[in-house]
Amino acid sequence: MVGNWSVQTSGGSCRVQLSSSPALDLYRASASGCSNQDLSKVNAWDYRDGEVYLYQTGGSVTARLRGSSSSLSGVLAKSGAPLSLTR
């Protein structure tokens, strides 16, 4: 899952990078060019129970995604809006 991802949402597209660097009990992440306020604050991620979780500052879950190492799909936690990540 580590690497650069292109994000597609109903509000447009942006980029998210998932790092293998630890950040407490999670891994570091960063977002760029995201118009969605929640996505723009993504700073950590985790993989558990077959799902990728994206977190924002403060520890709130931004999104939950399922899929493969080349394509993930899921929803934004607050709005329930769909999003997809591709390599």
Side-chain angles (χ1 to χ4, degrees), residues 21-42:
S21 299
L24 298 175
D25 57 342
L26 305 171
Y27 296 99
R28 295 189 192 282
S30 61
S32 61
C34 297
S35 59
N36 178 284
Q37 290 297 322
D38 291 331
L39 278 175
S40 69
K41 297 176 187 170
V42 165

Side-chain angles (χ1 to χ4, degrees), residues 49-60:
D49 300 327
E51 291 187 315
V52 173
Y53 288 76
L54 300 180
Y55 298 91
Q56 58 184 281
T57 306
S60 300

Side-chain angles (χ1 to χ4, degrees), residues 7 11 43 46 53 56 73 82-83:
V7 182
N43 70 346
D46 190 19
Y53 288 76
Q56 58 184 281
S73 60
L83 78 155

Side-chain angles (χ1 to χ4, degrees), residues 9-87:
T9 66
S10 57
S13 62
C14 62
R15 308 234 2 122
V16 169
Q17 181 177 9
L18 304 181
S19 169
S20 59
S21 299
L24 298 175
D25 57 342
L26 305 171
Y27 296 99
R28 295 189 192 282
S30 61
S32 61
C34 297
S35 59
N36 178 284
Q37 290 297 322
D38 291 331
L39 278 175
S40 69
K41 297 176 187 170
V42 165
N43 70 346
W45 72 281
D46 190 19
Y47 182 82
R48 66 176 189 271
D49 300 327
E51 291 187 315
V52 173
Y53 288 76
L54 300 180
Y55 298 91
Q56 58 184 281
T57 306
S60 300
V61 174
T62 301
R64 291 171 56 181
L65 305 133
R66 286 185 171 271
S68 66
S69 60
S70 62
S71 176
L72 297 167
S73 60
V75 296
L76 292 168
K78 282 187 183 174
S79 66
L83 78 155
S84 62
L85 277 64
T86 53
R87 293 284 188 185

